C-alpha cells in the first residue's frame, strides 16, 4: 500500500526514524479554501484531534479554513515553496506541473465512488501519489472524496440535459488549464474565477453557473443565488491532503501517527459526503431549485471524445494506464 512506500520514500533522502528532538513541539499550519461544515474542513479538525492525541501534543495542527491564510491562487505556490505546511491539492492543479496528470482530470475517467476508490487505494494510486514527491517535492498522504461534481446554474432560460444545452453558458471553473479544458469539453464557455468570489459572481450574473459537488453547493450557499442543478456526475472529485517536503522531514518521528490520523480523517470526509449526497437533492428542491437528471451517457461520450481526440491533450498521457483505469470500472 502507499502508506508503506511513503514512509520508506521519506527516509531515502538521508532521513532516519527518530531524527530530531522527541521533546520538540512541531506545528502544522493547514490552509483550505473550504468553508466551515464542509466535510473536508471537518476532516482537518478530525486530523488535528487524532494527531494531537496520538503524539500527546507533540504535534499541533492549526486549521485555516475559507482561505484565511492563503487564497486559492496563492495556496499551491506557497506549499511548493515551503511557506505553507499543508493543504489540499487536486489532480487538476498538479496537471499544470506534471502534464501527464491531465489524464486524471479528464471528465468521466471514474464512473463512481467505488471505481475511484479501487484505483487510488490500489497499486495505481500508490504510483500516482509517490510520483508527486518525486516530481515536485511535496508529499500527498492520501485521497479524500469530495463528491460527484454537478452543474449548478442561474436562470439561463433552459435546463441542461446534454452538452448542447451548455452552449454559450459562462461556467465558472478554477483557474488552471486542466479545469478550463474540462469546462470547454462539457460544452460551456469556461470562465476562470476564484472560489471566494463565486457567490457574488453568481448573484450578479458575472457567471451563469458553476460546477461543484452537492455538499459544496449547500455549504457555500450557492443554492441561494441559482435556479437549477443538472446531475451530470462529470467528475468524481477528490482532494489530496499534502504536506510540504520541508515539514514532512520535520515530522519524521511522527510519520506513522500522521498517516493514522489522515486515515481517520479520510473515513470521516468520505462518509459525510456520501451521506450528504443522498439527501441533498430533496433539500435543493425544497429551496425552489429545479433538479434535472442529465443524459450522462451523452455527456460521457461527448466529453471523453473531446479529450481523446485532442492530440495535444493526450500527448503526455499513458493511454495503457487510461485503459487499465477504465477496465477497473467495468
Amino acid at each position: 500500500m502507499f502508506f508503506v512506500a511513503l514512509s520508506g520514500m521519506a527516509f531515502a533522502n538521508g532521513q532516519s526514524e527518530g531524527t530530531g528532538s522527541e521533546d520538540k513541539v512541531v506545528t502544522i499550519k493547514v490552509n483550505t479554501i473550504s468553508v466551515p461544515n464542509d466535510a473536508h474542513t471537518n476532516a482537518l479538525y478530525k486530523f488535528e484531534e487524532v494527531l494531537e492525541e496520538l503524539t500527546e501534543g507533540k504535534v499541533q495542527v492549526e486549521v485555516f479554513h475559507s482561505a484565511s491564510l492563503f487564497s486559492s491562487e496563492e495556496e499551491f505556490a506557497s506549499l511548493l515553496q515551503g511557506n505553507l505546511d499543508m493543504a489540499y491539492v487536486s489532480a487538476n492543479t498538479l496537471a499544470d506541473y506534471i502534464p501527464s496528470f491531465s489524464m486524471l482530470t479528464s471528465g468521466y475517467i471514474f464512473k463512481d465512488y467505488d471505481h475511484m476508490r479501487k484505483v487510488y487505494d490500489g497499486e495505481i494510486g500508490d504510483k500516482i501519489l509517490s510520483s508527486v514527491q518525486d516530481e515536485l517535492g511535496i508529499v500527498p498522504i492520501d485521497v479524500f472524496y469530495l463528491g460527484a461534481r454537478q452543474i449548478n446554474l442561474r436562470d439561463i432560460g433552459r435546463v441542461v440535459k446534454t452538452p448542447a444545452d451548455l452552449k454559450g453558458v459562462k461556467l465558472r471553473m478554477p483557474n488552471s488549464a486542466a479545469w478550463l479544458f474540462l469546462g470547454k469539453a462539457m460544452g460551456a464557455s469556461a470562465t476562470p474565477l476564484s472560489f471566494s468570489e463565486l457567490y457574488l459572481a453568481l448573484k450578479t450574473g458575472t457567471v451563469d453557473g458553476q460546477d461543484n459537488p452537492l455538499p459544496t453547493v449547500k455549504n457555500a450557499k450557492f443554492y441561494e443565488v441559482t435556479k437549477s442543478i443538472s446531475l451530470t456526475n462529470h467528475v468524481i472529485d477528490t482532494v489530496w491532503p499534502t504536506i510540504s517536503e520541508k515539514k514532512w522531514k520535520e515530522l519524521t518521528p511522527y510519520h506513522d501517527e500522521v498517516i493514522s490520523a489522515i486515515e481517520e480523517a479520510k473515513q470521516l470526509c468520505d462518509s459525510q459526503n456520501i451521506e450528504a449526497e443522498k439527501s441533498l437533492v430533496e433539500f435543493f428542491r425544497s429551496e425552489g431549485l429545479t433538479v434535472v437528471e442529465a443524459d450522462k451517457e451523452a455527456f460521457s461520450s461527448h466529453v471523453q471524445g473531446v479529450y481523446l481526440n485532442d492530440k495535444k491533450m493526450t500527448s503526455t498521457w499513458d493511454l495503457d494506464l487510461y485503459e487499465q483505469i477504465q477496465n477497473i470500472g467495468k
Side-chain angles (χ1 to χ4, degrees), residues 204-263:
T204 60
T206 302
V207 295
D208 299 318
Q210 61 95 27
D211 83 311
N212 261 301
L214 296 184
T216 303
V217 177
K218 181 176 186 292
N219 294 331
K221 301 187 184 298
F222 295 145
Y223 64 89
E224 295 178 346
V225 288
T226 54
K227 294 296 184 183
S228 71
I229 294 175
S230 292
L231 301 177
T232 53
N233 289 6
H234 53 281
V235 173
I236 304 303
D237 206 6
T238 60
V239 287
W240 305 1
T242 301
I243 298 178
S244 73
E245 195 166 53
K246 173 183 174 184
K247 182 58 63 172
W248 185 242
K249 290 177 179 178
E250 192 177 350
L251 287 164
T252 295
Y254 309 108
H255 283 177
D256 288 346
E257 289 83 355
V258 170
I259 290 166
S260 295
I262 283 288
E263 177 65 22

Short mmCIF file of all heavy atoms in Angstrom, two decimals, residues 204-263:
data_model
loop_
_atom_site.label_atom_id
_atom_site.label_comp_id
_atom_site.label_asym_id
_atom_site.label_seq_id
_atom_site.Cartn_x
_atom_site.Cartn_y
_atom_site.Cartn_z
N THR A 204 -24.70 38.30 -9.15
CA THR A 204 -24.75 39.44 -10.07
C THR A 204 -24.82 39.03 -11.54
O THR A 204 -25.02 39.88 -12.40
CB THR A 204 -23.50 40.33 -9.87
OG1 THR A 204 -22.33 39.55 -10.14
CG2 THR A 204 -23.44 40.88 -8.45
N GLY A 205 -24.61 37.75 -11.81
CA GLY A 205 -24.66 37.30 -13.20
C GLY A 205 -23.35 37.43 -13.93
O GLY A 205 -23.31 37.29 -15.16
N THR A 206 -22.26 37.68 -13.21
CA THR A 206 -20.94 37.70 -13.84
C THR A 206 -20.65 36.35 -14.49
O THR A 206 -20.02 36.27 -15.54
CB THR A 206 -19.85 38.05 -12.81
OG1 THR A 206 -20.15 39.32 -12.23
CG2 THR A 206 -18.48 38.10 -13.46
N VAL A 207 -21.10 35.28 -13.84
CA VAL A 207 -21.07 33.94 -14.44
C VAL A 207 -22.48 33.38 -14.39
O VAL A 207 -23.32 33.80 -13.58
CB VAL A 207 -20.08 33.00 -13.72
CG1 VAL A 207 -18.66 33.49 -13.87
CG2 VAL A 207 -20.44 32.83 -12.25
N ASP A 208 -22.73 32.43 -15.29
CA ASP A 208 -24.06 31.81 -15.35
C ASP A 208 -24.18 30.60 -14.43
O ASP A 208 -25.30 30.21 -14.07
CB ASP A 208 -24.36 31.35 -16.78
CG ASP A 208 -24.38 32.49 -17.77
OD1 ASP A 208 -24.93 33.55 -17.44
OD2 ASP A 208 -23.83 32.32 -18.88
N GLY A 209 -23.05 30.01 -14.12
CA GLY A 209 -23.12 28.80 -13.31
C GLY A 209 -21.77 28.35 -12.83
O GLY A 209 -20.74 28.98 -13.10
N GLN A 210 -21.79 27.26 -12.10
CA GLN A 210 -20.57 26.71 -11.53
C GLN A 210 -20.76 25.20 -11.41
O GLN A 210 -21.88 24.69 -11.46
CB GLN A 210 -20.27 27.34 -10.18
CG GLN A 210 -21.33 27.12 -9.11
CD GLN A 210 -21.06 25.93 -8.21
OE1 GLN A 210 -19.91 25.55 -8.00
NE2 GLN A 210 -22.12 25.33 -7.67
N ASP A 211 -19.66 24.49 -11.24
CA ASP A 211 -19.76 23.05 -11.00
C ASP A 211 -19.06 22.71 -9.71
O ASP A 211 -17.94 23.15 -9.46
CB ASP A 211 -19.19 22.26 -12.18
CG ASP A 211 -17.68 22.11 -12.12
OD1 ASP A 211 -16.99 23.12 -11.91
OD2 ASP A 211 -17.19 20.99 -12.32
N ASN A 212 -19.76 21.98 -8.86
CA ASN A 212 -19.20 21.52 -7.60
C ASN A 212 -20.03 20.34 -7.11
O ASN A 212 -21.17 20.15 -7.55
CB ASN A 212 -19.21 22.63 -6.54
CG ASN A 212 -17.86 23.31 -6.40
OD1 ASN A 212 -16.87 22.67 -6.08
ND2 ASN A 212 -17.82 24.61 -6.64
N PRO A 213 -19.50 19.54 -6.20
CA PRO A 213 -20.33 18.51 -5.57
C PRO A 213 -21.48 19.14 -4.79
O PRO A 213 -21.39 20.29 -4.31
CB PRO A 213 -19.34 17.81 -4.64
CG PRO A 213 -18.01 18.08 -5.23
CD PRO A 213 -18.10 19.47 -5.79
N LEU A 214 -22.56 18.39 -4.60
CA LEU A 214 -23.74 18.91 -3.92
C LEU A 214 -23.45 19.41 -2.50
O LEU A 214 -23.99 20.45 -2.11
CB LEU A 214 -24.84 17.84 -3.89
CG LEU A 214 -25.39 17.39 -5.25
CD1 LEU A 214 -26.54 16.40 -5.05
CD2 LEU A 214 -25.86 18.58 -6.09
N PRO A 215 -22.61 18.72 -1.71
CA PRO A 215 -22.33 19.26 -0.37
C PRO A 215 -21.72 20.67 -0.42
O PRO A 215 -22.01 21.52 0.44
CB PRO A 215 -21.37 18.25 0.24
CG PRO A 215 -21.69 16.96 -0.46
CD PRO A 215 -22.00 17.38 -1.87
N THR A 216 -20.87 20.93 -1.40
CA THR A 216 -20.26 22.26 -1.53
C THR A 216 -21.31 23.29 -1.94
O THR A 216 -21.30 24.42 -1.44
CB THR A 216 -19.12 22.23 -2.55
OG1 THR A 216 -18.15 21.26 -2.15
CG2 THR A 216 -18.44 23.59 -2.66
N VAL A 217 -22.22 22.91 -2.83
CA VAL A 217 -23.30 23.82 -3.24
C VAL A 217 -24.11 24.26 -2.01
O VAL A 217 -24.48 25.43 -1.87
CB VAL A 217 -24.23 23.14 -4.27
CG1 VAL A 217 -25.39 24.06 -4.64
CG2 VAL A 217 -23.44 22.78 -5.53
N LYS A 218 -24.37 23.32 -1.11
CA LYS A 218 -25.12 23.66 0.10
C LYS A 218 -24.29 24.49 1.07
O LYS A 218 -24.73 25.54 1.54
CB LYS A 218 -25.60 22.39 0.81
CG LYS A 218 -26.43 22.68 2.07
CD LYS A 218 -26.96 21.42 2.69
CE LYS A 218 -27.91 21.74 3.85
NZ LYS A 218 -27.22 22.35 5.00
N ASN A 219 -23.08 24.02 1.38
CA ASN A 219 -22.30 24.69 2.43
C ASN A 219 -21.84 26.08 2.03
O ASN A 219 -21.71 26.96 2.88
CB ASN A 219 -21.10 23.82 2.80
CG ASN A 219 -21.52 22.52 3.46
OD1 ASN A 219 -22.56 22.45 4.12
ND2 ASN A 219 -20.73 21.47 3.28
N ALA A 220 -21.61 26.31 0.74
CA ALA A 220 -21.24 27.64 0.25
C ALA A 220 -22.47 28.49 -0.08
O ALA A 220 -22.32 29.63 -0.52
CB ALA A 220 -20.33 27.51 -0.98
N LYS A 221 -23.66 27.89 0.10
CA LYS A 221 -24.95 28.58 -0.10
C LYS A 221 -25.18 29.05 -1.53
O LYS A 221 -25.87 30.03 -1.79
CB LYS A 221 -25.09 29.76 0.88
CG LYS A 221 -25.01 29.36 2.35
CD LYS A 221 -25.32 30.52 3.27
CE LYS A 221 -25.15 30.13 4.73
NZ LYS A 221 -26.07 29.06 5.16
N PHE A 222 -24.60 28.33 -2.50
CA PHE A 222 -24.81 28.71 -3.90
C PHE A 222 -26.27 28.52 -4.32
O PHE A 222 -26.72 29.16 -5.27
CB PHE A 222 -23.90 27.88 -4.81
CG PHE A 222 -22.43 28.15 -4.63
CD1 PHE A 222 -21.50 27.13 -4.77
CD2 PHE A 222 -21.95 29.42 -4.33
CE1 PHE A 222 -20.14 27.36 -4.61
CE2 PHE A 222 -20.60 29.67 -4.16
CZ PHE A 222 -19.70 28.64 -4.31
N TYR A 223 -26.99 27.67 -3.61
CA TYR A 223 -28.41 27.47 -3.92
C TYR A 223 -29.23 28.74 -3.71
O TYR A 223 -30.33 28.87 -4.27
CB TYR A 223 -28.99 26.31 -3.09
CG TYR A 223 -29.00 26.57 -1.60
CD1 TYR A 223 -30.08 27.20 -0.98
CD2 TYR A 223 -27.92 26.18 -0.81
CE1 TYR A 223 -30.08 27.43 0.39
CE2 TYR A 223 -27.92 26.41 0.55
CZ TYR A 223 -29.00 27.03 1.15
OH TYR A 223 -29.00 27.26 2.51
N GLU A 224 -28.70 29.67 -2.93
CA GLU A 224 -29.43 30.94 -2.71
C GLU A 224 -29.44 31.82 -3.95
O GLU A 224 -30.31 32.68 -4.08
CB GLU A 224 -28.78 31.70 -1.54
CG GLU A 224 -28.88 31.02 -0.20
CD GLU A 224 -28.19 31.80 0.91
OE1 GLU A 224 -27.41 32.74 0.61
OE2 GLU A 224 -28.41 31.48 2.10
N VAL A 225 -28.47 31.62 -4.84
CA VAL A 225 -28.32 32.53 -5.99
C VAL A 225 -28.35 31.76 -7.32
O VAL A 225 -27.86 32.25 -8.34
CB VAL A 225 -27.02 33.35 -5.87
CG1 VAL A 225 -27.15 34.40 -4.77
CG2 VAL A 225 -25.80 32.46 -5.60
N THR A 226 -28.90 30.55 -7.31
CA THR A 226 -29.03 29.76 -8.53
C THR A 226 -30.43 29.18 -8.62
O THR A 226 -31.21 29.22 -7.66
CB THR A 226 -27.99 28.63 -8.58
OG1 THR A 226 -28.09 27.84 -7.39
CG2 THR A 226 -26.59 29.17 -8.73
N LYS A 227 -30.76 28.62 -9.80
CA LYS A 227 -32.12 28.16 -10.04
C LYS A 227 -32.22 26.68 -10.40
O LYS A 227 -33.31 26.11 -10.34
CB LYS A 227 -32.76 28.98 -11.17
CG LYS A 227 -32.99 30.45 -10.82
CD LYS A 227 -33.98 30.60 -9.69
CE LYS A 227 -34.28 32.08 -9.41
NZ LYS A 227 -35.20 32.23 -8.24
N SER A 228 -31.12 26.07 -10.82
CA SER A 228 -31.20 24.66 -11.23
C SER A 228 -29.91 23.93 -10.97
O SER A 228 -28.83 24.53 -10.87
CB SER A 228 -31.58 24.54 -12.71
OG SER A 228 -30.49 24.94 -13.53
N ILE A 229 -30.03 22.61 -10.87
CA ILE A 229 -28.87 21.72 -10.77
C ILE A 229 -29.10 20.59 -11.76
O ILE A 229 -30.16 19.96 -11.78
CB ILE A 229 -28.72 21.15 -9.36
CG1 ILE A 229 -28.37 22.26 -8.37
CG2 ILE A 229 -27.63 20.07 -9.33
CD1 ILE A 229 -28.32 21.80 -6.93
N SER A 230 -28.10 20.34 -12.60
CA SER A 230 -28.13 19.21 -13.52
C SER A 230 -27.17 18.14 -13.00
O SER A 230 -25.98 18.40 -12.81
CB SER A 230 -27.72 19.64 -14.93
OG SER A 230 -28.69 20.49 -15.50
N LEU A 231 -27.70 16.96 -12.78
CA LEU A 231 -26.92 15.87 -12.22
C LEU A 231 -26.14 15.18 -13.35
O LEU A 231 -26.64 14.31 -14.04
CB LEU A 231 -27.82 14.88 -11.49
CG LEU A 231 -28.63 15.49 -10.34
CD1 LEU A 231 -29.56 14.44 -9.73
CD2 LEU A 231 -27.73 16.09 -9.27
N THR A 232 -24.91 15.63 -13.54
CA THR A 232 -24.06 15.14 -14.62
C THR A 232 -23.02 14.14 -14.15
O THR A 232 -22.54 13.32 -14.95
CB THR A 232 -23.33 16.32 -15.29
OG1 THR A 232 -22.66 17.07 -14.26
CG2 THR A 232 -24.31 17.23 -16.03
N ASN A 233 -22.61 14.22 -12.88
CA ASN A 233 -21.57 13.33 -12.34
C ASN A 233 -20.31 13.33 -13.21
O ASN A 233 -19.67 12.29 -13.39
CB ASN A 233 -22.08 11.88 -12.21
CG ASN A 233 -23.09 11.71 -11.11
OD1 ASN A 233 -23.53 12.67 -10.48
ND2 ASN A 233 -23.52 10.49 -10.89
N HIS A 234 -19.93 14.50 -13.72
CA HIS A 234 -18.85 14.52 -14.71
C HIS A 234 -17.46 14.34 -14.11
O HIS A 234 -16.53 13.97 -14.82
CB HIS A 234 -18.90 15.81 -15.54
CG HIS A 234 -18.93 17.07 -14.74
ND1 HIS A 234 -20.08 17.55 -14.14
CD2 HIS A 234 -17.96 17.97 -14.45
CE1 HIS A 234 -19.81 18.68 -13.52
NE2 HIS A 234 -18.53 18.95 -13.68
N VAL A 235 -17.33 14.60 -12.83
CA VAL A 235 -16.05 14.34 -12.15
C VAL A 235 -16.36 13.72 -10.79
O VAL A 235 -17.16 14.25 -10.03
CB VAL A 235 -15.23 15.63 -11.94
CG1 VAL A 235 -14.00 15.35 -11.08
CG2 VAL A 235 -14.80 16.23 -13.27
N ILE A 236 -15.74 12.58 -10.52
CA ILE A 236 -15.76 12.02 -9.18
C ILE A 236 -14.59 12.69 -8.46
O ILE A 236 -13.44 12.28 -8.58
CB ILE A 236 -15.62 10.49 -9.20
CG1 ILE A 236 -16.71 9.87 -10.07
CG2 ILE A 236 -15.67 9.94 -7.78
CD1 ILE A 236 -18.14 10.22 -9.67
N ASP A 237 -14.92 13.76 -7.76
CA ASP A 237 -13.90 14.71 -7.35
C ASP A 237 -13.20 14.28 -6.07
O ASP A 237 -13.82 13.73 -5.14
CB ASP A 237 -14.54 16.09 -7.15
CG ASP A 237 -13.55 17.21 -7.35
OD1 ASP A 237 -12.41 16.95 -7.75
OD2 ASP A 237 -13.92 18.38 -7.12
N THR A 238 -11.91 14.56 -6.03
CA THR A 238 -11.10 14.23 -4.86
C THR A 238 -10.20 15.40 -4.49
O THR A 238 -9.91 16.27 -5.32
CB THR A 238 -10.20 13.00 -5.14
OG1 THR A 238 -9.33 13.28 -6.25
CG2 THR A 238 -11.04 11.77 -5.44
N VAL A 239 -9.78 15.41 -3.25
CA VAL A 239 -8.72 16.32 -2.80
C VAL A 239 -7.69 15.49 -2.05
O VAL A 239 -8.03 14.49 -1.41
CB VAL A 239 -9.25 17.46 -1.92
CG1 VAL A 239 -10.03 18.48 -2.74
CG2 VAL A 239 -10.12 16.94 -0.77
N TRP A 240 -6.43 15.90 -2.17
CA TRP A 240 -5.33 15.12 -1.64
C TRP A 240 -4.64 15.91 -0.52
O TRP A 240 -3.97 16.92 -0.79
CB TRP A 240 -4.32 14.82 -2.74
CG TRP A 240 -4.89 14.15 -3.96
CD1 TRP A 240 -6.19 13.79 -4.19
CD2 TRP A 240 -4.16 13.77 -5.13
NE1 TRP A 240 -6.33 13.21 -5.41
CE2 TRP A 240 -5.08 13.18 -6.04
CE3 TRP A 240 -2.83 13.87 -5.51
CZ2 TRP A 240 -4.71 12.70 -7.27
CZ3 TRP A 240 -2.46 13.39 -6.76
CH2 TRP A 240 -3.39 12.80 -7.63
N PRO A 241 -4.80 15.52 0.73
CA PRO A 241 -4.08 16.20 1.81
C PRO A 241 -2.58 16.03 1.62
O PRO A 241 -2.08 14.91 1.57
CB PRO A 241 -4.59 15.50 3.08
CG PRO A 241 -5.09 14.16 2.61
CD PRO A 241 -5.58 14.37 1.21
N THR A 242 -1.89 17.15 1.50
CA THR A 242 -0.50 17.14 1.06
C THR A 242 0.35 18.03 1.96
O THR A 242 -0.03 19.15 2.29
CB THR A 242 -0.41 17.65 -0.40
OG1 THR A 242 -1.20 16.78 -1.23
CG2 THR A 242 1.02 17.67 -0.90
N ILE A 243 1.51 17.53 2.33
CA ILE A 243 2.43 18.22 3.22
C ILE A 243 3.68 18.63 2.45
O ILE A 243 4.16 17.88 1.59
CB ILE A 243 2.81 17.32 4.42
CG1 ILE A 243 1.55 16.99 5.24
CG2 ILE A 243 3.85 17.97 5.31
CD1 ILE A 243 1.81 16.06 6.41
N SER A 244 4.21 19.80 2.75
CA SER A 244 5.46 20.21 2.11
C SER A 244 6.56 19.25 2.54
O SER A 244 6.54 18.71 3.65
CB SER A 244 5.83 21.65 2.51
OG SER A 244 6.29 21.70 3.85
N GLU A 245 7.53 19.03 1.67
CA GLU A 245 8.61 18.11 1.99
C GLU A 245 9.41 18.62 3.20
O GLU A 245 9.86 17.83 4.03
CB GLU A 245 9.52 17.94 0.78
CG GLU A 245 10.46 16.75 0.89
CD GLU A 245 11.10 16.41 -0.44
OE1 GLU A 245 11.68 17.32 -1.06
OE2 GLU A 245 11.02 15.25 -0.84
N LYS A 246 9.56 19.92 3.29
CA LYS A 246 10.26 20.52 4.44
C LYS A 246 9.58 20.12 5.74
O LYS A 246 10.23 19.69 6.71
CB LYS A 246 10.28 22.04 4.27
CG LYS A 246 10.82 22.81 5.45
CD LYS A 246 10.70 24.32 5.18
CE LYS A 246 11.10 25.15 6.39
NZ LYS A 246 10.89 26.60 6.13
N LYS A 247 8.26 20.25 5.79
CA LYS A 247 7.53 19.89 7.01
C LYS A 247 7.51 18.39 7.21
O LYS A 247 7.59 17.90 8.34
CB LYS A 247 6.11 20.44 6.93
CG LYS A 247 5.25 20.17 8.17
CD LYS A 247 5.86 20.74 9.46
CE LYS A 247 5.97 22.26 9.43
NZ LYS A 247 6.37 22.81 10.75
N TRP A 248 7.42 17.62 6.12
CA TRP A 248 7.41 16.16 6.23
C TRP A 248 8.69 15.66 6.89
O TRP A 248 8.66 14.76 7.74
CB TRP A 248 7.23 15.55 4.84
CG TRP A 248 7.08 14.06 4.82
CD1 TRP A 248 7.91 13.16 4.22
CD2 TRP A 248 6.04 13.28 5.42
NE1 TRP A 248 7.45 11.88 4.40
CE2 TRP A 248 6.31 11.91 5.14
CE3 TRP A 248 4.91 13.60 6.17
CZ2 TRP A 248 5.49 10.88 5.58
CZ3 TRP A 248 4.08 12.57 6.61
CH2 TRP A 248 4.38 11.23 6.31
N LYS A 249 9.82 16.25 6.53
CA LYS A 249 11.09 15.84 7.15
C LYS A 249 11.11 16.22 8.63
O LYS A 249 11.63 15.47 9.46
CB LYS A 249 12.26 16.49 6.40
CG LYS A 249 12.48 15.91 5.01
CD LYS A 249 13.60 16.62 4.27
CE LYS A 249 13.81 16.02 2.89
NZ LYS A 249 14.86 16.72 2.12
N GLU A 250 10.53 17.36 8.94
CA GLU A 250 10.46 17.78 10.35
C GLU A 250 9.58 16.82 11.16
O GLU A 250 9.78 16.66 12.37
CB GLU A 250 9.90 19.21 10.42
CG GLU A 250 10.03 19.86 11.78
CD GLU A 250 9.53 21.30 11.79
OE1 GLU A 250 9.26 21.85 10.69
OE2 GLU A 250 9.39 21.87 12.88
N LEU A 251 8.63 16.19 10.48
CA LEU A 251 7.70 15.27 11.14
C LEU A 251 8.20 13.83 11.17
O LEU A 251 7.46 12.93 11.56
CB LEU A 251 6.35 15.30 10.40
CG LEU A 251 5.50 16.54 10.60
CD1 LEU A 251 4.41 16.62 9.53
CD2 LEU A 251 4.88 16.56 12.00
N THR A 252 9.45 13.60 10.80
CA THR A 252 9.98 12.25 10.67
C THR A 252 9.65 11.33 11.86
O THR A 252 9.23 10.20 11.65
CB THR A 252 11.50 12.27 10.41
OG1 THR A 252 11.74 12.88 9.15
CG2 THR A 252 12.08 10.87 10.40
N PRO A 253 9.78 11.76 13.10
CA PRO A 253 9.47 10.83 14.20
C PRO A 253 7.98 10.47 14.29
O PRO A 253 7.62 9.54 15.01
CB PRO A 253 9.90 11.62 15.45
CG PRO A 253 10.78 12.70 14.96
CD PRO A 253 10.29 13.04 13.60
N TYR A 254 7.13 11.20 13.55
CA TYR A 254 5.68 11.05 13.72
C TYR A 254 4.97 10.62 12.44
O TYR A 254 3.76 10.78 12.32
CB TYR A 254 5.09 12.37 14.21
CG TYR A 254 5.79 12.95 15.41
CD1 TYR A 254 6.60 14.09 15.29
CD2 TYR A 254 5.69 12.35 16.66
CE1 TYR A 254 7.27 14.63 16.39
CE2 TYR A 254 6.35 12.87 17.76
CZ TYR A 254 7.13 14.01 17.62
OH TYR A 254 7.79 14.52 18.70
N HIS A 255 5.72 10.06 11.48
CA HIS A 255 5.09 9.69 10.21
C HIS A 255 3.94 8.71 10.39
O HIS A 255 2.88 8.87 9.78
CB HIS A 255 6.13 9.11 9.26
CG HIS A 255 7.01 10.14 8.62
ND1 HIS A 255 8.05 9.82 7.79
CD2 HIS A 255 7.00 11.51 8.69
CE1 HIS A 255 8.65 10.93 7.37
NE2 HIS A 255 8.03 11.95 7.92
N ASP A 256 4.12 7.70 11.22
CA ASP A 256 3.06 6.71 11.43
C ASP A 256 1.81 7.37 12.01
O ASP A 256 0.69 7.04 11.62
CB ASP A 256 3.53 5.59 12.35
CG ASP A 256 4.54 4.66 11.68
OD1 ASP A 256 4.68 4.72 10.44
OD2 ASP A 256 5.21 3.90 12.41
N GLU A 257 2.03 8.28 12.94
CA GLU A 257 0.88 8.95 13.57
C GLU A 257 0.15 9.86 12.57
O GLU A 257 -1.09 9.93 12.57
CB GLU A 257 1.35 9.77 14.77
CG GLU A 257 1.78 8.95 15.97
CD GLU A 257 3.22 8.45 15.89
OE1 GLU A 257 3.87 8.67 14.84
OE2 GLU A 257 3.69 7.83 16.85
N VAL A 258 0.92 10.55 11.72
CA VAL A 258 0.30 11.40 10.69
C VAL A 258 -0.56 10.55 9.75
O VAL A 258 -1.71 10.89 9.44
CB VAL A 258 1.38 12.16 9.88
CG1 VAL A 258 0.76 12.84 8.66
CG2 VAL A 258 2.07 13.19 10.76
N ILE A 259 -0.02 9.42 9.33
CA ILE A 259 -0.73 8.54 8.41
C ILE A 259 -2.00 7.99 9.07
O ILE A 259 -3.07 7.93 8.45
CB ILE A 259 0.20 7.40 7.93
CG1 ILE A 259 1.27 7.99 7.00
CG2 ILE A 259 -0.57 6.30 7.23
CD1 ILE A 259 2.42 7.05 6.73
N SER A 260 -1.91 7.60 10.33
CA SER A 260 -3.09 7.09 11.05
C SER A 260 -4.16 8.17 11.19
O SER A 260 -5.36 7.91 11.02
CB SER A 260 -2.69 6.58 12.43
OG SER A 260 -1.83 5.46 12.33
N ALA A 261 -3.73 9.39 11.50
CA ALA A 261 -4.69 10.49 11.67
C ALA A 261 -5.35 10.83 10.34
O ALA A 261 -6.56 11.13 10.29
CB ALA A 261 -3.98 11.71 12.26
N ILE A 262 -4.58 10.81 9.27
CA ILE A 262 -5.14 11.08 7.94
C ILE A 262 -6.16 10.01 7.56
O ILE A 262 -7.20 10.31 6.97
CB ILE A 262 -4.03 11.16 6.88
CG1 ILE A 262 -3.31 12.51 6.98
CG2 ILE A 262 -4.58 10.96 5.47
CD1 ILE A 262 -4.12 13.70 6.49
N GLU A 263 -5.89 8.77 7.91
CA GLU A 263 -6.83 7.68 7.60
C GLU A 263 -8.18 7.92 8.29
O GLU A 263 -9.24 7.75 7.68
CB GLU A 263 -6.24 6.34 8.03
CG GLU A 263 -7.16 5.15 7.82
CD GLU A 263 -7.49 4.86 6.38
OE1 GLU A 263 -6.73 5.28 5.48
OE2 GLU A 263 -8.53 4.22 6.13
#
